[in-house]
Every structure is written in C-alpha cells, then in structure tokens.
Amino acid sequence: MTSKQPRYVRRYVVTVILLVLVSPFLIYGAHQSVESMCIAPEKWAPPVMQSRQNYDKFKDHFESNDLLLISWPGCTVDDPRLIEFEAAINGPRTTDFGETHESLFDRIVSGAGVVNSLTSPPLKLPRDEALERLEGSLVGQDLNDSCAVIILTDRGNELRKQSIEHALTVAEEVCQLPREDFRVTGPPVDGVAIDRASIHSVNLFGALSTIVAIGLCWICIRSWMLTGTILLAGLCGQGLVLSMVYYSGTPLDAVLIITPSLVFVLTISAGVHLVNYYYDELFASGAKTKTEADAAVRTGFSKGWQPCLLAAVTTAIGLGSLMVSQISPIAMFGLIASIGLLVTLGILLLILPGAMQLWPPKQILKFNQGNQKTASPRYFTRISNWMEKLATVLERHSATVFLSSIVLMVVSAYGLLSIRSSVDVPSLFPAGSQVLDHYEFNEDRMGPLIPVEVVIEFDPDCKKTFLQRLRIIDDIEKTIKNIDGYTGTMSAATFGPNPVEHKGFESILRKVVTNKKLKENRQAVLDSVYLSENDGVESWRISARVPALQKIDYGAALAKLKTTLKPELEKYKADGVHLNAYYTGIMPLIHTVQQLILQDLTWSFLTAFLLVAIVIVIIQRSLWTGLLSMLPNVFPIVVVFGLMGWLDIPLDIGAVMTASVALGIAIDDTLHFLAWFRREKTLNRTSEEAIHSALKHCGRAMIHTTFICGLGLMVFGFSDFIPTQRFAWMMLALLTTALIGDLLFLPAMLMQPFAKHLQFAKSGLYGKLSVTPPSLSTK
C-alpha cells in the first residue's frame, strides 16, 4: 500500500470524528432555529426605505397594524355578545401561558360598542347616522353585519399564535360557539399561517426532500456506502445552515426554510459528479482488484475535485448575489446558503475519497473481470450510449437546434417586458386555504380589509381652532372616501360633532361652545388613537381600506390617492394652513416590497451574471469564449421568466431568488462539459469529436444532478406557502430548461463555424488534466 492510499482514509476518519464532536452544537442550533420560527411580511421593507420609516413613525405615534378582525355568522351590531366579548377582552385576566390581557391586547373596539358610544351623550347621534359613519370599517355594507377588532401590543404580536388562540378561547366562552365558526383575519393571522406552513415544510417536505435526494443518489451511483457518505456531508450541511440562522440571531422564516434542502441537494449533486469521475476511471483503467481501484480513486479525484470546487464556487456566487437584495430574508438566504454550500463541499471533498477507498464498487470490479451480466454497469453504459446517439443527431442538425434556441430566447425575452410582482394576500396562500376563506367571509360582510393610513400633520404655527382642524380632516376624509377602491374611512371626525349649519349669532355661539367642549375633551380625542401630538406637531390619522382578495395594482391605487389629495392639501395654503401628509399601512408597504422584488431580481441576476462571467472568462482565458459560454446559462432564465411574463404569472419573494440560484447551478454542468470539451480540443480533436466525448462523459452526471436537484426541491411545491411552492416549481422548470440548454444548445453552438475558431486555454485550471478521456465500453 503506497503512502498516498491511506491518506484519504485518514482524512475520512479524522473528519468524521470532528463532525461527531460538533454535531451536538449543530443539532441544538437547528432545533432552536425551528422553534424560533417567525415571519413578518410587513418588515420585509428595509428600515432605510421611506415607506418603512413612515410605518414605524405611525406605529410610534398611533398604534400598530397588528390587528385581529373577528366575526362569526350572525354577528350584527345588535348582537349583545359583541359587547360581552369587548368587556371580556378589556377585563383583567391571566392567560394559561402567564400573560395578562393588558400585556397582549392594546385595545378592542366593536361595531356594537362604537354605535352605542356615538348614539350616547355627548354626541347623541341618530342611530342611522352612526351606522353610516362606521360603514365599511366596523359595520358591514348592509349597515347590519359587524365585527370586533383587537389591536395587539408588541408583546402580543411577539406571542401572536398564543394571543390569537387565547382571543378565540375568550370568544368561545362568551359566544358559546364552536371555534370553527369564528372568522379571524389580520397580519398576525397571516404570519401564524405562514409559520405553520414553514414548520410543516421542515417536518414533512424537508424530510421528503431528503428521502427523494437519497433515493436518486443511490439510483445514480448504485452504492449504499458512497450514498451514505454523501448523505453524511449533506446532513451536516443542513444542520450547519439551520444553526447558522440561530447563532446569527436571525429568526427562521418561510424564505430561509428552503435553505437546508437546497444545500443538501447541491451537496448530493456535487457528490454524484465526483463519483462520476471515479467510475469513469474504473471503467477506463479496467480495474479488477482493490489495489487498482485505489489507483482509480487517486486519478479520478485529481481530475474531479477542481471542476467540482469551481462549480461550487460559481453556485455560491449565484447564491451570494442575493445579498444585494434590500429584502432582509432574501439577503440572509444568499449569505447563509453560499457559506453553507462551500463548507459542506469542503466536508464532502475530505470524506468521499476515503469512502471510495474503503468501499470500492464491487459490481464494477466484477464487470471489469468479465461478468457482463452485472446490472449497474450496464445501466451506466446505456446512458452513455444514449449520449452518443444524441451527439450524432446534433451533428446533423446543429444549425437548426442553435437557431431554434436563439429564436426561443428572443420570443421569450419579449415577455420579460410584461413581468410583474405581487406579495398581496392571495399570492401567499393557496386557493381554498383557511386564511383566504376567512378573508372572503369577512370581506363579503364587512367590505375591504387591507388598511391604508393617511396622516395629516398641521404646522405648529397653525392658527386654526380645534374645531376648524376637525372640519379640515372631515373634508379630506370625504375626499378619500370618494376615490374608487377606497372604503371604510375613519378619523377623529367620525367621533366628532356634525358641522354647524345654522347662521348668524346662533352659529357663532354653537361653534364656540362646540370648540370649548372639544378642547376640554382633547385628551379623550388623543386617546381615540386618531390624533397624536409630538414636539408641538399635531398628526391626524385617516384610515381607509382596500380589498385584500381582488387583483389590485397597489402602486396605481397609491398613486391615485396621492394625486387626488395633492390639490386638496394645496387649497388650504391660501388660507394660511400648511399641511403635510404621509401615507402608510400594510398596502403602501406591500407596494414597496413589490418594487423591491423587481429591482432585486434585476440586480441580483446581473451581479451573479457578472461575477460568474468573470470566473468563466478567467478559466477560458478569452473574453469572447467566456461570454459565449454564458449564453446557454442565460437561456433558462430568459425562457422561464419570459414565459411567466407571457402568461401573466406574477413574481413573488420566492420566485425572485430562483434566477440567481438557477444561474449558479446551471453553470455547474456547463463547466464540467467545457472541461472535457477543452481537453479533447487540446488533443487536436475536431469540435464534433470533442462534443461526442464530452456528452458521453458528462451527460450521465448532468442528467443525474438535474434530477436530484430538481426533484429533491420539487416536494416543496406542495407547501401551503405560495412563495416556497413557487420557488420549488420554478427551480424544477429552470433546471430542466438548463439541462436542455447544456445538452442541446451548448453542443449545437460549439459546432457552429464561428465557434470552431474559439480559443481554449491549453493550460491553467485544467491544463494538467489533459489526458485522453476514458470511454465506457459496452462489452
């Protein structure tokens, strides 16, 4: 046994021992990461964005939009259970998990309670008028249906799952109805549903993804011991990325939840490629004994580790490019996935060669000894023969395949002009889900549910009386209510007196008396959370609603609101009233995130393309050759995203990550193909001969890795969280299209006359690997 042979085994043993020692920390970190799972879509907008600053400012001055809207069949303004429920939530009580109502619930309002308040002294409004004032907010459009709205405290939103469950428990006790009769909507409910779907993804789809990847890995390499070794590295990668999430202090969410499985399938893919080099060397050398197999390990590993490492680096670049995203979960996804992949590949390179020496594939050794009936080797040679036939077909029709690919890219590229983004409620949950059912029930009865907040700030030097300011706010509120799509407006004017319609002395007297009463009750108005005073600046809040389930262009709706109010605010300047307005709420935040998604898709992909192109140019040592090599890798992104534009399928936070990730993964197969193509060219083979050899050698591994990555992630396509679901299906579509590009487009392009004059580096990364590629004999 030479000194080189046991080196791989020693590395294997030492690495496994180290992995055993660090495994408790990985297991603990992974467990804590899953336990602390929490997602807040309203916080996807970065703190530096004006919309996020407005949202935080509104939350400081008034209250959060972390509200629960609760209703049930038969809930009306005359339902006494609404008053009882309001009293029960406001009452002192300690929950089963040690919190009090005061710590969880900021306040609660109900249609029945507010109607009673408006029709009682001091306002004593007629009941019909009180109902009209609350239409679309706390009273349904039929002026009969009603609901209760609970505003959670910061602590209540932190414990949102427990807070919602406790609120429903109180509702059950008061209303004497089964829990399934209650319809609850609001951002905390959405967050809990996403968290639930994420945990389900970890427990079910994460496990299924692992099982699928393991099964496909064994099918590809037909060795349980080598499969187990690759599995060990992949599982370490899963534990590593989950623990990185925990130890970095970042909460796990539905965006990051797919990271462990992504790193796992990429590790399996790299392992299959590396084993492919080893198996080819076994066939080429005709190894029959363990000693000869050990030599094949050294030769195969020396050929394969550099392309595998380079492929991992380019994939990490694709993942790392997501760090330019302004949406924090996407940026963290890119950082953790890229680091996790490189570390896991390092583990794989340390242990896989040792496993190859410890457990050589006996079926291949028997096949080389003359046993032609061995099933596994015939499986390998069959795929290689198919690749030979494919190369022959391409040689005959290369121009047609190349031009067809270019035309498909051009047509698809036109669809990119129509691509749009969406992160509204229907884009987060599948049709028929409980969340959407509850939204549909409440919107049918109460009207639109997505809040939009307009805050009007009066200049500190404003001379208008309190009553005059209230009338200005009332006029602005009426303007908003007349804008198509905006309903359910509420402001301090909703709870104030009607305008004085009398003339002369009586009018003056009533105004003086009313203004005096309002000033005396100023604190009550401030407590109504529709007026706030900070540093001498009065901020008046006007709330409105837009639909949650209709396909609304939030950008256009927000622009229309601003355009309509601009002249309304300007007209008061002539009277010496200087008003400033800012717009916030869930809808403006959603619009900001929608804009960021399109920006991130563009910039992350351009960053990935630029960095990967630089790497390829350096490897090829030719700018033109490197850029041309990138064309088949742009092919799947242009085709799939262009098709989305043609079909009007919106981008979401899951889809935006796929372009850069797919580019990083797709380049792997291209690199392996070009490595063998270049080696053949350095041996003065024709382009056609080089392509025959490259397809024969790499085609099998390219197909295997595409199936492993695509099908391993596809199980997430059944997640209850649409962005995770769409990420999985888009990755499958992109990887499949990338395989078509590498098996058809790339070889066809290299056969064209202009490509035959390309200069390929004869030294450098692959220079020392210029050996005659092995051929798989069918014997």
Side-chain angles (χ1 to χ4, degrees):
M1 182 177 292
T2 66
S3 60
K4 287 186 178 180
Q5 287 177 324
R7 181 188 307 170
Y8 295 139
V9 177
R10 289 199 301 268
R11 288 178 184 173
Y12 175 89
V13 174
V14 172
T15 304
V16 170
I17 292 174
L18 291 176
L19 292 177
V20 171
L21 292 177
V22 301
S23 61
F25 299 97
L26 299 182
I27 294 172
Y28 176 79
H31 176 73
Q32 292 297 114
S33 181
V34 174
E35 287 296 314
S36 62
M37 185 176 298
C38 180
I39 189 170
E42 70 274 8
K43 295 182 180 178
W44 284 346
V48 296
M49 298 291 293
Q50 186 62 53
S51 59
R52 174 67 183 275
Q53 293 175 357
N54 288 345
Y55 184 83
D56 293 339
K57 180 181 178 181
F58 175 85
K59 188 174 180 179
D60 291 339
H61 290 177
F62 297 99
E63 62 185 1
S64 72
N65 280 141
D66 300 322
L67 57 87
L68 308 175
L69 189 150
I70 302 179
S71 189
W72 55 86
C75 180
T76 68
V77 289
D78 296 317
D79 192 336
R81 294 174 295 185
L82 271 177
I83 302 296
E84 295 174 22
F85 180 53
E86 188 174 345
I89 292 294
N90 282 326
R93 179 168 173 177
T94 301
T95 67
D96 295 337
F97 48 97
E99 298 289 334
T100 64
H101 280 197
E102 185 178 8
S103 66
L104 298 177
F105 309 126
D106 187 9
R107 68 188 182 100
I108 178 175
V109 293
S110 69
V114 176
V115 167
N116 288 347
S117 175
L118 292 177
T119 55
S120 302
L123 287 181
K124 294 191 290 186
L125 295 176
R127 177 180 170 84
D128 290 345
E129 182 178 345
L131 292 174
E132 288 178 0
R133 289 192 180 191
L134 300 179
E135 180 186 357
S137 55
L138 294 174
V139 175
Q141 297 171 333
D142 61 354
L143 300 183
N144 184 45
D145 295 327
S146 191
C147 65
V149 176
I150 303 174
I151 310 298
L152 300 183
T153 63
D154 288 340
R155 179 61 174 170
N157 192 48
E158 181 182 340
L159 301 173
R160 57 193 181 189
K161 179 179 179 181
Q162 296 92 322
S163 299
I164 295 170
E165 290 297 319
H166 181 72
L168 288 173
T169 298
V170 175
E172 283 182 298
E173 295 173 358
V174 170
C175 300
Q176 295 297 303
L177 292 172
R179 179 162 299 200
E180 55 268 20
D181 282 357
F182 295 100
R183 306 294 192 271
V184 190
T185 54
V189 179
D190 303 342
V192 169
I194 295 172
D195 290 344
R196 187 182 299 115
S198 301
I199 294 174
H200 188 56
S201 294
V202 173
N203 295 333
L204 177 60
F205 299 122
L208 287 177
S209 176
T210 301
I211 293 172
V212 169
I214 293 172
L216 292 173
C217 182
W218 180 85
I219 291 173
C220 294
I221 64 179
R222 303 299 175 99
S223 169
W224 282 115
M225 300 310 296
L226 295 185
T227 299
T229 302
I230 298 172
L231 172 63
L232 174 63
L235 290 177
C236 288
Q238 284 188 319
L240 175 65
V241 295
L242 281 174
S243 59
M244 285 174 64
V245 172
Y246 170 69
Y247 291 122
S248 67
T250 303
L252 186 67
D253 59 28
V255 176
L256 289 170
I257 198 62
I258 205 168
T259 313
S261 294
L262 177 63
V263 171
F264 182 82
V265 297
L266 291 176
T267 304
I268 298 291
S269 174
V272 169
H273 266 298
L274 197 57
V275 171
N276 180 64
Y277 282 92
Y278 169 48
Y279 281 3
D280 274 341
E281 197 59 38
L282 286 175
F283 281 117
S285 64
K288 301 180 179 63
T289 65
K290 188 177 185 305
T291 301
E292 293 174 341
D294 288 344
V297 172
R298 294 195 303 273
T299 306
F301 183 67
S302 67
K303 291 181 180 180
W305 76 268
Q306 287 181 328
C308 286
L309 178 60
L310 182 60
V313 169
T314 55
T315 303
I317 289 174
L319 292 167
S321 68
L322 293 171
M323 292 169 59
V324 304
S325 173
Q326 298 180 73
I327 302 176
S328 56
I330 295 180
M332 186 58 64
F333 176 93
L335 175 64
I336 290 177
S338 57
I339 294 176
L341 174 61
L342 292 176
V343 173
T344 306
L345 180 72
I347 295 173
L348 182 69
L349 293 177
L350 287 172
I351 63 176
L352 188 54
M356 292 175 182
Q357 285 194 331
L358 287 171
W359 302 289
K362 296 179 179 179
Q363 287 184 313
I364 294 181
L365 297 183
K366 291 180 179 179
F367 182 83
N368 289 337
Q369 291 168 4
N371 185 354
Q372 307 302 312
K373 296 182 179 180
T374 305
S376 293
R378 285 193 286 113
Y379 161 77
F380 295 128
T381 56
R382 186 182 302 119
I383 296 179
S384 296
N385 291 335
W386 291 345
M387 291 297 101
E388 280 276 18
K389 293 178 181 178
L390 175 62
T392 301
V393 173
L394 285 173
E395 190 173 349
R396 295 174 183 170
H397 307 285
S398 62
T400 302
V401 173
F402 174 70
L403 292 176
S404 298
S405 301
I406 295 296
V407 170
L408 179 59
M409 286 185 66
V410 172
V411 173
S412 299
Y414 186 76
L416 294 175
L417 302 176
S418 305
I419 204 162
R420 63 184 180 88
S421 62
S422 177
V423 288
D424 52 11
V425 173
S427 72
L428 297 178
F429 303 99
S433 64
Q434 185 183 73
V435 172
L436 295 187
D437 287 345
H438 285 196
Y439 267 103
E440 184 177 2
F441 177 87
N442 284 334
E443 282 208 336
D444 285 346
R445 300 176 75 252
M446 303 304 303
L449 297 178
I450 300 297
V452 181
E453 305 287 351
V454 180
V455 179
I456 306 297
E457 297 177 331
F458 283 84
D459 188 274
D461 299 326
C462 180
K463 304 300 182 183
K464 293 294 183 181
T465 65
F466 194 82
L467 179 60
Q468 288 172 326
R469 299 183 189 206
L470 189 66
R471 295 278 71 84
I472 291 174
I473 296 301
D474 187 39
D475 289 341
I476 296 175
E477 179 187 349
K478 290 176 181 176
T479 301
I480 296 174
K481 195 170 185 178
N482 289 328
I483 300 175
D484 185 36
Y486 288 86
T487 60
T489 59
M490 291 183 71
S491 69
T494 304
F495 306 95
N498 287 317
V500 177
E501 298 179 358
H502 299 281
K503 298 180 180 179
F505 179 76
E506 183 181 0
S507 172
I508 296 174
L509 180 62
R510 284 176 61 85
K511 288 179 180 178
V512 171
V513 172
T514 301
N515 193 62
K516 182 179 180 180
K517 287 184 177 180
L518 285 172
K519 290 183 69 175
E520 291 173 351
N521 292 282
R522 180 181 179 84
Q523 188 58 47
V525 178
L526 288 169
D527 292 340
S528 72
V529 301
Y530 283 93
L531 171 63
S532 173
E533 186 173 17
N534 297 274
D535 299 326
V537 177
E538 276 188 357
S539 301
W540 296 70
R541 167 191 178 188
I542 303 174
S543 297
R545 305 272 187 85
V546 293
L549 300 183
Q550 296 180 17
K551 288 187 176 181
I552 292 181
D553 185 339
Y554 285 154
L558 186 60
K560 187 175 183 179
L561 175 63
K562 293 179 178 180
T563 302
T564 304
L565 288 189
K566 185 176 180 180
E568 184 76 11
L569 299 177
E570 290 288 338
K571 76 178 184 181
Y572 291 106
K573 283 187 178 181
D575 198 21
V577 181
H578 297 278
L579 302 176
N580 179 52
Y582 69 86
Y583 306 83
T584 187
I586 296 299
M587 190 270 274
L589 276 180
I590 289 175
H591 171 59
T592 298
V593 174
Q594 287 176 342
Q595 290 180 312
L596 290 178
I597 281 178
L598 289 176
Q599 293 175 15
D600 289 348
L601 174 66
T602 303
W603 286 111
S604 64
F605 177 72
L606 290 178
T607 301
F609 179 87
L610 179 62
L611 294 176
V612 172
I614 291 174
V615 172
I616 299 302
V617 168
I618 292 174
I619 294 171
Q620 303 288 3
R621 299 195 176 185
S622 167
L623 177 62
W624 173 241
T625 305
L627 293 179
L628 196 63
S629 300
M630 289 295 295
L631 194 58
N633 299 289
V634 178
F635 174 76
I637 284 86
V638 173
V639 170
V640 173
F641 280 89
L643 186 62
M644 290 182 67
W646 279 108
L647 298 178
D648 194 32
I649 300 174
L651 289 175
D652 57 24
I653 195 170
V656 73
M657 300 186 295
T658 58
S660 299
V661 176
L663 176 64
I665 296 176
I667 199 70
D668 293 2
D669 289 339
T670 304
L671 286 171
H672 286 286
F673 183 92
L674 289 176
W676 280 87
F677 179 81
R678 179 169 44 252
R679 280 197 287 268
E680 287 293 302
K681 293 289 286 185
T682 58
L683 296 175
N684 295 321
R685 305 285 174 81
T686 66
S687 295
E688 288 77 10
E689 290 173 338
I691 287 169
H692 272 265
S693 180
L695 280 175
K696 187 175 183 179
H697 174 83
C698 297
R700 182 179 68 247
M702 291 161 66
I703 294 172
H704 288 170
T705 54
T706 298
F707 281 145
I708 290 172
C709 291
L711 297 180
L713 294 174
M714 189 194 69
V715 295
F716 285 92
F718 301 96
S719 170
D720 291 332
F721 185 51
I722 293 295
T724 301
Q725 183 184 116
R726 187 161 292 165
F727 177 90
W729 286 108
M730 284 197 64
M731 283 301 299
L732 178 62
L734 285 164
L735 293 177
T736 302
T737 310
L739 179 64
I740 294 173
D742 282 325
L743 291 180
L744 299 179
F745 187 15
L746 178 60
M749 181 182 70
L750 293 175
M751 289 181 183
Q752 301 312 302
F754 67 85
K756 292 182 179 180
H757 301 290
L758 296 178
Q759 297 298 315
F760 290 92
K762 295 185 180 181
S763 61
L765 177 64
Y766 295 110
K768 65 180 182 178
L769 303 181
S770 298
V771 296
T772 303
S775 60
L776 298 180
S777 172
T778 58
K779 295 187 180 182

